[in-house]
Amino acid sequence: MKIAVCVKQVPDSDATLSVNAEQTWIEEAGINFEINEYDRYALEEALKLKDAHGAEVLAVSIGPDRVGQALKTCLATGADRAVHLKDAAFSGGDPWSNATALAAALRPENPDLILCGLQADDDNLAQTPVILAEMLGVPHATGAMKIDRSDAGLRVERELEGDRREVVDLPLPALITVQTGINEPRYASIKGIMAAKKKEIATPAPSDLGVEPSAVGRAGAKITFSGLSHPEKKEGGEILSGSLEEITAELVKRIRENTGVL
Amino acid sequence: MAGRILAVVETEGGRVRESAYELVGLARSMAEAGGGTACAAVLGADPAAAAREVASRGADTVFAVKDPLLTHVTADGAVAALKALVSAQEIGVVLFSHSPMGWDVAPRLAAAHGLPALTEVVGVEGAGKTWTRMMFNGKLQVKMELAGSPLVATVQKGAFPAFEGQTAGAVEEFAPGLSAAQVRQRFVEVVAAPKGKVDLASAEVIVSGGRSLGSAEKFGIIQELADALGGQVGASRPVTDAGWLPHEHQVGSSGVTVKPKLYIAAGISGAIQHIVGMKQSGYIIAINRDKEAPIFEVADVGVVGDLFELVPALTKAVKEAKGKG
Ligand SMILES: Cc1cc2nc3c(=O)[nH]c(=O)nc-3n(C[C@H](O)[C@H](O)[C@H](O)COP(=O)(O)OP(=O)(O)OC[C@H]3O[C@@H](n4cnc5c(N)ncnc54)[C@H](O)[C@@H]3O)c2cc1C
Ligand SMILES: Nc1ncnc2c1ncn2[C@@H]1O[C@H](COP(=O)(O)O)[C@@H](O)[C@H]1O
C-alpha cells in the first residue's frame, strides 16, 4: 500500500500575528513555524497503518524553503520519501490552486490512500483536501477519529457534533481528513533522525509535474483575499490592571458580587 | 449576483436542524438585496414533511430531493443530487452550515463546478459580492471575493440570526435519479461516544485550562482553583487530545456545552469551537497573556498575564476569602 500525507507548515499557535502591507497574509518574518497539528495526527495515522500492514509513506508539502524542515521531521518520524513543492510558482495559492498542485504531484504516485488534516491552523479553510479528492476522482471522508482496514477498503468513524460519530465504509483509493486526538503522534527517534539523512526530498517544478505554472500558486488562485485585519473589539469585558494582589482581590470581589458562589 | 439562493437543510431523524433556519434567513436577506428568491433543499428518501416545515418558515420554494440512495446522506450522494438540482433549477448560490456535513459536501460540490468553496463565512455584503470569514482561530478576519456560479459557501453556526417568521412557500419534489455506482461511501451507523464519569453540564463553577498548561502535572493548578471554588475542571480540546484529562472534560462544539454560574478560562485562546460551548455561562473570567486573544470578547472580566502566576494567586485569595466567610 502507498500512503501520501499532505503536510502544511503553519505559524506556531502562540505566535504574535501582524498583517502584511497588502493585507492579504501575515508578516512571516520572525515567526516560528511548525507542522500543522492536524497533519501530525494524519502522519501518525499513516505510520500506524505502515506498522500494522506495511506501506510506503510519502509526505507532500507546498511552501517555501522553511518547509524543508517540516518534511525532514516527517522523514525522521517514519515517512519514507518527501515531495517539496517549493518552486516560486507554487507560492501564494488558494485551496483551488494548492489542490491543483497537490493533484499534479500525486497523480504519478497513484497512492492507495491520501491522508490530510481536517483543516490548517492558519487559514482554517478546511477544504483543500476535499477539492483534491474531487480532482483525483477518489471518494473522501472528513474529520476521522478512527480508521480501520476492512474488507471493502477502510472503515472510518467521522466526528459529528454532540459527541457522536458516523461510521462509513470507503473503497480504496480514497482520501481521508483527520481530526486531532485520533491517535498519539510519535516523536522522531535519534535513529530516525539519522536514517532521515539518507531519505530523498524531491523538489519538482511545475513542468516536471506536467502542470502549467499559471494553474498553481497565486496565478491559479480563484479566491481573492483582502482586508486581513484584527477584528474590531466588540463590547468585551473590562481588562483589570494593578499588582497581583490588587487583581486577585478584585476578581474575588467580582466573583462574590456576580455569581453567588463565594 | 442574485438569482436563486439555496439553503441546504440538515435533518436528523427526519427533523429539521435549527441551524437550517440561519441559512434560510441568510438566503432571504441575500435574495432581498439582489432581487432573487430564497430556496431550500431537503435531501432524503422521504423528505416531504421536513420540506413542508421549511416552506412554512422562510423559504419561497423548497425542493424535496428524494432518492432511496439519500436515506443516509453521504458525500457522494449529496454532491450528485445537489449538482443535478443546481443545473436543473439554475441555482446561483448554495449555502451549507459549517458542520460535519457542510465540510464534507460543500467543497466537493464547488469543485465539481470548477470552483473552490467559501468556508465558515460570518458575513456577507449585499447579494454575495464580498464575504467575510475569520482566520487563525478567530484572531484575524479577512474578506473574500470569488467569480463564478454557483457560489458554494459554508456558514459559521450562530453568525446569522435564524429566520423566525411564518411563510407559505411551495414544495417541489425533485428526483435526482442517483445510481448506486455514484455513491462510493457506504453509511454504516451513527454511534454515541462512551459517557464519562463527570458531567460538566450540571456544574455551577468550571475552571478550564488550555494547551499552554503543557502537561497533566501542570494542570494541577487548575484543579486547585476549581477545588477552592467547589467546582469542576474543564479543558480545551488540545488538553483532552493529549490525554492530560479524559474527553468528558472538554468544553466546546465537539465536547460538552456548559452553563455554569462562573466559568474561568486560563490560557485558552477562544477559538469558536470552544466559545460555543461556554459563552452562555453566567459570569466569565479570562486569563491570557495575549491581549488580542479572542476569549476576551466573550469575557465579563479579563486579566492579561501569566496564568502560572495568576491562577495560584487567585486560588490563595479565594481560600482566604472563604476563611473570612
Ligand atoms: C471540528 C472541530 C471541533 C473542535 N472542537 C473543539 C472543542 O469542542 N473544544 C475546544 O476547546 N476546541 C475545539 N476545537 C479546536 C479549536 O479550534 C482550537 O484549536 C482549540 O480550542 C485551541 O485550544 P487552546 O485555546 O487551549 O490552545 P491555543 O489556541 O494554542 O491557545 C493557547 C493560549 O494560551 C495563551 N497562553 C500561553 N501561555 C500562557 C501563559 N503562560 N499564561 C496565560 N496565557 C498563556 C496563548 O496566548 C493562547 O491564547 C475544534 C476544532 C475543530 C476543527
Ligand atoms: N500548502 C500545503 N501543503 C500541503 N498540504 C496542504 C497545504 N495546504 C493545505 N494542505 C492540506 O490540507 C489540509 C487542510 O488545509 P486547509 O484547507 O487550508 O484548511 C491540511 O491539513 C493539509 O493536510
Side-chain angles (χ1 to χ4, degrees):
Chain A
M1 171 143 97
K2 190 193 273 190
I3 307 174
V5 186
C6 299
V7 179
K8 187 176 191 188
Q9 203 188 35
V10 298
D12 89 49
S13 60
D14 276 355
T16 306
L17 304 174
S18 59
V19 171
N20 69 10
E22 301 79 40
Q23 287 194 287
T24 50
W25 193 238
I26 53 161
E27 202 56 78
E28 292 200 349
I31 286 186
N32 290 325
F33 284 82
E34 59 188 17
I35 297 174
N36 182 36
E37 190 170 25
Y38 297 81
D39 303 349
R40 288 183 55 220
Y41 286 97
L43 174 64
E44 176 61 29
E45 210 49 31
L47 297 176
K48 277 175 61 186
L49 286 166
K50 176 179 168 176
D51 292 345
H53 308 285
E56 184 190 17
V57 175
L58 170 70
V60 187
S61 187
I62 309 169
D65 280 337
R66 57 171 164 77
V67 171
Q69 193 51 50
L71 288 172
K72 273 191 198 128
T73 303
C74 294
L75 294 175
T77 317
D80 299 290
R81 279 191 297 130
V83 177
H84 183 181
L85 304 180
K86 68 172 185 179
D87 190 283
F90 292 118
S91 74
D94 77 345
W96 182 266
S97 58
N98 284 341
T100 303
L102 292 170
L106 291 178
R107 235 174 241 121
E109 295 283 351
N110 215 5
D112 300 286
L113 176 63
I114 302 169
L115 291 169
C116 297
L118 170 61
Q119 65 179 40
D121 251 331
D122 52 1
D123 56 35
N124 309 152
L125 283 162
Q127 61 162 322
T128 311
V130 179
I131 298 174
L132 173 61
E134 173 69 13
M135 288 176 172
L136 294 175
V138 300
H140 77 271
T142 50
M145 281 298 279
K146 197 165 189 288
I147 302 174
D148 288 313
R149 296 237 34 179
S150 70
D151 296 339
L154 295 172
R155 176 157 289 194
V156 182
E157 291 188 16
R158 297 183 60 224
E159 182 177 278
L160 302 180
E161 291 146 319
D163 254 346
R164 291 166 317 139
R165 293 178 185 180
E166 179 187 70
V167 186
V168 285
D169 282 337
L170 271 184
L172 294 172
L175 180 147
I176 299 174
T177 77
V178 165
Q179 171 61 298
T180 61
I182 182 176
N183 53 40
E184 288 174 42
R186 68 192 71 180
Y187 289 94
S189 63
I190 301 289
K191 206 169 132 227
I193 294 168
M194 296 310 290
K197 296 202 164 115
K198 291 194 216 81
K199 294 180 183 169
E200 177 206 340
I201 302 185
T203 55
S207 57
D208 300 318
L209 302 175
V211 65
E212 288 298 323
S214 60
V216 297
R218 184 166 293 115
K222 298 195 181 229
I223 303 176
T224 310
F225 291 96
S226 65
L228 185 69
S229 57
H230 288 277
E232 243 172 71
K233 292 263 171 294
K234 298 192 211 87
E235 53 272 42
E238 184 193 342
I239 301 291
L240 299 181
S241 53
S243 69
L244 193 57
E245 287 70 35
E246 285 163 355
I247 286 174
T248 53
E250 184 62 26
L251 286 175
V252 167
K253 183 167 156 251
R254 302 226 179 175
I255 292 172
R256 273 230 159 96
E257 286 168 1
N258 294 291
T259 72
V261 299
L262 269 182
Chain B
M1 193 65 46
R4 299 183 120 181
I5 299 163
L6 184 79
V8 179
V9 171
E10 288 184 39
T11 57
E12 202 173 308
R15 304 200 41 216
V16 177
R17 296 188 76 182
E18 206 42 37
S19 54
Y21 295 108
E22 297 175 6
L23 302 180
V24 170
L26 175 59
R28 279 193 84 87
S29 63
M30 288 175 70
E32 275 158 29
T37 49
C39 305
V42 185
L43 312 184
D46 189 12
R52 279 195 299 274
E53 191 188 319
V54 180
S56 73
R57 217 182 126 184
D60 299 322
T61 305
V62 183
F63 300 104
V65 182
K66 185 172 170 167
D67 196 294
L69 287 166
L70 295 173
T71 306
H72 300 286
V73 173
T74 57
D76 278 349
V79 169
L82 289 168
K83 201 176 167 209
L85 181 69
V86 162
S87 88
Q89 297 294 333
E90 296 173 17
I91 305 289
V93 178
V94 187
L95 303 173
F96 289 84
S97 291
H98 193 71
S99 66
M101 179 193 171
W103 59 67
D104 212 43
V105 177
R108 192 145 192 157
L109 178 65
H113 292 95
L115 293 169
L118 300 164
T119 48
E120 210 173 2
V121 301
V122 298
V124 184
E125 276 169 37
K129 186 174 182 309
T130 309
W131 306 67
T132 314
R133 71 189 302 278
M134 309 307 287
M135 280 189 172
F136 295 89
N137 286 317
K139 287 178 211 137
L140 298 176
Q141 65 184 20
V142 73
K143 290 186 163 49
M144 297 178 290
E145 290 188 19
L146 174 64
S149 182
L151 291 185
V152 179
T154 67
V155 176
Q156 190 178 85
K157 286 196 191 169
F160 297 91
F163 185 82
E164 295 292 356
Q166 296 268 311
T167 54
V171 172
E172 278 181 33
E173 193 173 293
F174 179 82
L178 301 183
S179 69
Q182 278 176 295
V183 183
R184 292 162 294 181
Q185 298 91 353
R186 198 179 65 83
F187 172 91
V188 181
E189 60 180 335
V190 169
V191 292
K195 278 263 170 289
K197 281 194 275 323
V198 292
D199 179 16
L200 289 191
S202 58
E204 297 214 322
V205 177
I206 297 174
V207 184
S208 285
R211 189 205 308 271
S212 48
L213 266 302
S215 69
E217 295 71 46
K218 291 190 190 155
F219 221 85
I221 59 170
I222 301 292
Q223 182 74 57
E224 282 160 24
L225 178 55
D227 289 345
L229 288 162
Q232 299 276 5
V233 275
S236 63
R237 183 163 182 144
V239 172
T240 52
D241 281 348
W244 304 341
L245 279 176
H247 172 72
E248 69 245 37
H249 291 272
Q250 183 188 312
V251 173
S253 64
S254 56
V256 269
T257 300
V258 299
K259 213 178 155 181
K261 289 182 179 158
L262 172 63
Y263 189 90
I264 303 181
I268 292 178
S269 60
I272 182 70
Q273 297 89 355
H274 188 81
I275 288 185
V276 294
M278 46 66 78
K279 66 175 178 204
Q280 309 273 25
S281 303
Y283 195 74
I284 299 172
I285 300 177
I287 298 172
N288 196 301
R289 70 174 178 200
D290 173 11
K291 66 176 190 341
E292 305 281 353
I295 192 76
F296 289 123
E297 294 288 311
V298 296
D300 294 286
V301 63
V303 185
V304 177
D306 182 3
L307 74 92
F308 291 104
E309 194 179 21
L310 282 155
V311 171
L314 182 56
T315 306
K316 189 161 154 269
V318 166
K319 283 185 181 160
E320 281 167 14
K322 276 173 102 181
K324 286 185 206 133

